[in-house]
Structure formats: C-alpha cells, structure tokens
Amino acid sequence: PQPLQIEQLLKEVGNGQEAALAELYQQCHKMVYAYALSLCKNPHAAEDVLQDTFLKIYHHAHRYQAKGTPLAW
C-alpha cells in the first residue's frame, strides 16, 4: 500500500468511516500480522495483536498526524 493512501484511510477512519477501516484492514493486515508474529513467535498471540491493533486504530485514528511512514504509527 502507498503511504498517501494509508494516510487518507486513517483520516477517514478518524472521521468515523467504518468502510475506511475495512479497507485499511484489507490492505495492511498481512503486514501487521507478520510483524506481530516476528515479535511474539506465536500465531494465536499474533492474531490477538492484530485485532488489538485495529481496535486501537479505530479508537485513535482521529489523533493521527502525518509525520512520515503511516504504518510506523
């Protein structure tokens, strides 16, 4: 996914657009899962981290400020 596209989706999620969250999940869930798995080495725990991450995105996207790589946020 392109950083500008991710930033736009985060902005839309921050404005309460649930379809944007679904699109963000579709585009990024594999990368987030892979990163979580690399840290915890447990597929079930990585799945939990993935779900927790997207819940936090949903609740805090309105705070996002573009400062470079949106996936790092």
Side-chain angles (χ1 to χ4, degrees), residues 3-4 6-12 14 57 60-73:
L4 292 177
I6 300 301
E7 286 181 2
Q8 181 62 36
L9 289 170
L10 285 169
K11 181 179 177 182
E12 292 172 9
I57 289 171
H60 300 287
H62 65 281
R63 296 181 182 170
Y64 175 73
Q65 296 180 11
K67 293 183 182 177
T69 307
L71 287 176
W73 178 76

Side-chain angles (χ1 to χ4, degrees), residues 8-68:
Q8 181 62 36
L9 289 170
L10 285 169
K11 181 179 177 182
E12 292 172 9
V13 173
N15 288 330
Q17 296 180 27
E18 291 183 15
L21 181 64
E23 180 64 25
L24 184 65
Y25 182 87
Q26 184 66 30
Q27 290 191 25
C28 300
H29 76 279
K30 290 179 184 177
M31 288 182 289
V32 174
Y33 176 79
Y35 181 66
L37 185 60
S38 75
L39 295 175
C40 61
K41 312 288 189 229
N42 179 306
H44 298 291
E47 190 69 34
D48 288 343
V49 169
L50 173 67
Q51 297 305 317
D52 289 346
T53 299
F54 278 89
L55 281 173
K56 287 183 180 184
I57 289 171
Y58 179 72
H59 290 292
H60 300 287
H62 65 281
R63 296 181 182 170
Y64 175 73
Q65 296 180 11
K67 293 183 182 177

